[in-house]
Amino acid sequence: MLLSGNRMQSNVAQNLSVLRALEVPQSSISVRVSCHPSVVCQKPENFNKDVEEVISLGFNPTTLAFVNGLQVSSKMTKSTWEHKKEVYRRWGWTEDEILLAFRKKPTCMYLSEKNIVSKMDFLVNKMGWQPADLARVPGVLTLSLEQRIIPRCSVIRVLMAKGLLKKKFTLSSLLITIDSYFISRFVINYQETVPRLLDIFQGKLSLQELDFQFEEK
């Protein structure tokens, strides 16, 4: 047990020295060690391979995304990685778009096939966004479909149907922003015209009750 502990300490020391040599910020190292210590506990030869792989994919070691990408890379087998890529390809993502999404939000590769498909189906087929739009804002795919995506999109669908939105908004402004901003911008602003908009946002009133629905785009 003592030998195992000494070996682990040696692994951690060697792996952390690699990160520091790459000028990975101490703040990023601390986050990764505290949240996912197993990443830096692995054998140095395996750790070095993961580091080289992540760098080859275009990650900048000075960013937090680098250590997030390292975490995903170290936990995912090659077969699982290829399977996830194939799932995204079926939705029209190119190889470049898959790598772009991974660099921006590494955890998008952690999602299950069912999770990916359900969100892609809703956002592409029901809301009309292009798959390439989602590749540019992959963080959307890591949000809860039931708790974040559908409630907000329900509000947007009603406002669009009533002709109250005069311009096209980005995915980020609609889905990534915090609730207080979204409620202020898209709910409170239109409450006089659509009195039950807050009920729609909170799920107390369905679109069907207002004779609206999410149709195939």
Side-chain angles (χ1 to χ4, degrees), residues 93 97-98 100-102 104 120 130-138:
W93 283 13
E97 286 171 336
I98 292 171
L100 171 66
F102 180 54
K104 288 193 169 188
M120 282 288 201
Q130 295 299 312
D133 296 331
L134 300 174
R136 288 189 287 270
V137 194

Side-chain angles (χ1 to χ4, degrees), residues 9 17 31 41 97 108 111 115 124 127-129 148 151 164 185 199:
Q9 290 179 6
S17 69
V31 167
C41 289
E97 286 171 336
C108 71
L111 301 174
N115 197 324
V124 174
M127 290 302 295
W129 278 298
R148 173 70 75 91
L164 295 173
R185 178 66 182 82
D199 288 337

